[in-house]
Amino acid sequence: MNIDKPKTAALIVAAGSGQRAGQGMAKQYISIKGKPMIAHSAKSLADHPDIDALYIVIGEGQEEYAKEALNSIQYDALIIGGKTRQESVFNGLKYISYNDSIKNIFIHDAARPHLPHDVIDRLLHALEDHKGVIPILPVTDSMVHINENMMDKALKRDALARVQTPQAFHFQDILIAHRSAAEANYSDDAQIMYVMGYDIATVDGDPSLNKYTFAEDFMTDKPNFRIGSGYDVHRFGSGEDLWLGGVKIEHHVGLIGHSDADIVLHALTDALLGALAKGDIGDHFPPSDPQWKGVSSDIFLKHACDLAQKEGYEIANADITIICEAPKIGPHREKIRQSIAHIMNVVVEQISLKATTTEKLGFTGRGEGMAVQAQILIEKIP
């Protein structure tokens, strides 16, 4: 960053308390993808070759939070904001006005952490011919005007747009506009310029610039993929049926359990519940409850699949290993895979099934029972 004679400055507005986000502290300091929210856009602006100075407007008493959040980023000053966003921006502009070499200014909300450089490039290019430029996205939903909780009229969405930040201006023009509107309370700098008679140009925004406002917005920061593992063991007993993955296998002994003892479906259910952080099969279907006595274990797996769907996840794949000396799994492998795929409502190619022995070691090696390991990957549905 050329700090000797900057021409284009960026001003990040981060003075709010972020109470609507419900995070227990100002949202701009909450960790997003491994670092404080404010650090994301600050780094993007500081690293851009055409941004020559970076200023941050913060709330009173937030100095230590800000310094810690920005400790690896080069910036020019922390500026104390006001009671409203407009006051905070104006405080920042007045501070920057002492540097008379500033030609352009980018004003950006810290609550929009993911700032692509190509948006900055488009704004800078448009500033060559316009005094104010904003990034916008089209409105895709139908829009209506509401009057006392009733639909008043439909609006033409092709004439509407979603406004994002950063917004870019010729510095002296936005400074004059803010001085003239000091007694108003606008939430958007382009509105101030427009009311003062300036034309505002638009460029394409970016969906990644979405604003973090409410608690549910922070839920999108969860990983798109989650993994879970399950492990189950049952012993053999005479007079029992042997169910594996929803398929009845002919064998001289079966597995003992409270339900049908389908060890494959039990391990899969635990793996899926683990991926969702929803406990284990015993939490949802206690063995002490007589209603689950002898029931088909596909009930358990379907329940876990329903939970995944409600959480917005779909199955990516499952990998299962059966550990036993007998019976031989190979002749039944494809039928078991098809059964599991049907229960989970996926294609059979998403289900992997293997079998191994313990070379006569341990309880499985002695033919006393069977064990199953299962891993499952789930993916957040866009």
Side-chain angles (χ1 to χ4, degrees):
M1 185 182 293
N2 181 3
I3 59 175
D4 295 327
K5 192 174 180 60
K7 299 296 183 183
T8 298
L11 179 68
I12 297 180
V13 187
S17 61
Q19 294 179 354
R20 288 181 294 174
Q23 300 296 303
M25 65 184 297
K27 64 184 178 184
Q28 55 268 35
Y29 305 113
I30 298 295
S31 179
I32 300 293
K33 297 188 183 302
K35 60 184 179 181
M37 178 190 290
I38 190 175
H40 288 272
S41 57
K43 179 171 174 52
S44 182
L45 289 163
D47 288 350
H48 194 281
D50 293 319
I51 302 297
D52 302 297
L54 177 61
Y55 301 89
I56 317 289
V57 180
I58 62 173
E60 190 171 354
Q62 294 179 359
E63 290 91 341
E64 293 306 314
Y65 284 113
K67 289 177 181 178
E68 182 177 354
L70 300 165
N71 64 359
S72 63
I73 298 168
Q74 185 177 354
Y75 60 92
D76 291 76
L78 298 177
I79 305 161
I80 303 301
K83 295 179 180 179
T84 66
R85 183 189 183 282
Q86 183 174 327
E87 287 182 16
S88 294
V89 173
F90 192 28
N91 284 0
L93 295 176
K94 288 186 290 185
Y95 185 98
I96 298 170
S97 67
Y98 291 102
N99 186 340
D100 58 10
S101 65
I102 295 294
K103 177 182 178 183
N104 300 322
I105 183 75
F106 279 65
I107 303 175
H108 183 59
D109 292 331
R112 300 181 188 272
H114 309 304
L115 174 53
H117 274 192
D118 56 358
V119 174
I120 299 175
D121 294 338
R122 290 194 289 270
L123 290 166
L124 279 169
H125 180 72
L127 270 183
E128 295 175 4
D129 300 311
H130 304 279
K131 293 185 176 182
V133 189
I134 58 174
I136 62 170
L137 286 179
V139 173
T140 56
D141 295 323
S142 295
M143 305 295 290
V144 298
H145 185 270
I146 299 297
N147 184 13
E148 296 182 354
N149 295 324
M150 298 294 290
M151 177 177 167
D152 186 44
K153 61 181 177 179
L155 302 176
K156 293 183 178 180
R157 64 185 178 191
D158 56 355
L160 301 173
R162 295 163 51 197
V163 178
Q164 300 181 310
T165 69
Q167 298 179 356
F169 308 96
H170 289 186
F171 181 78
Q172 289 300 323
D173 293 296
I174 188 64
L175 177 63
I176 292 170
H178 262 274
R179 281 177 175 157
S180 300
E183 300 302 318
N185 185 21
Y186 293 99
S187 61
D188 182 271
D189 302 290
Q191 294 178 25
I192 297 174
M193 286 280 283
Y194 181 77
V195 168
M196 296 301 155
Y198 292 90
D199 291 330
I200 305 297
T202 65
V203 297
D204 290 338
D206 193 287
S208 65
L209 266 169
N210 282 341
K211 187 177 182 181
Y212 284 63
T213 302
F214 302 104
E216 54 266 29
D217 296 326
F218 290 80
M219 300 298 286
T220 63
D221 194 49
K222 288 185 176 180
N224 286 333
F225 289 94
R226 304 185 72 169
I227 192 169
S229 64
Y231 178 76
D232 198 21
V233 171
H234 281 275
R235 60 188 174 91
F236 284 127
S238 301
E240 302 286 346
D241 292 328
L242 178 59
W243 288 91
L244 298 176
V247 176
K248 186 177 180 180
I249 307 297
E250 293 300 325
H251 196 50
H252 67 283
V253 289
L255 294 172
I256 300 172
H258 184 65
S259 62
D260 63 1
D262 191 324
I263 193 171
V264 173
L265 298 188
H266 292 183
L268 268 175
T269 301
D270 266 352
L272 185 47
L273 291 173
L276 295 167
K278 295 291 186 181
D280 60 27
I281 195 170
D283 295 324
H284 297 258
F285 305 96
S288 58
D289 191 334
Q291 70 173 309
W292 310 122
K293 176 67 175 177
V295 301
S296 175
S297 295
D298 64 337
I299 293 174
F300 309 152
L301 185 54
K302 287 177 180 176
H303 170 75
C305 289
D306 287 342
L307 289 178
Q309 185 177 34
K310 289 177 182 177
E311 292 281 329
Y313 286 92
E314 60 183 16
I315 310 300
N317 74 294
D319 185 29
I320 307 145
T321 302
I322 301 176
I323 307 166
C324 66
E325 295 293 330
K328 296 297 182 183
I329 302 302
H332 311 286
R333 177 181 289 113
E334 294 311 309
K335 191 173 182 180
I336 294 173
R337 290 179 66 209
Q338 291 170 7
S339 173
I340 294 170
H342 177 73
I343 294 168
M344 302 184 77
N345 194 29
V346 297
V347 296
V348 71
E349 288 77 14
Q350 293 172 268
I351 307 299
S352 169
L353 179 66
K354 309 184 300 293
T356 190
T357 71
T358 56
E359 299 294 334
K360 304 294 184 179
L361 297 174
F363 74 92
T364 60
R366 295 189 298 269
E368 297 172 2
M370 302 176 69
V372 171
Q373 294 176 332
Q375 285 76 38
I376 196 163
L377 184 70
I378 58 176
E379 180 179 8
K380 193 76 171 182
I381 302 170

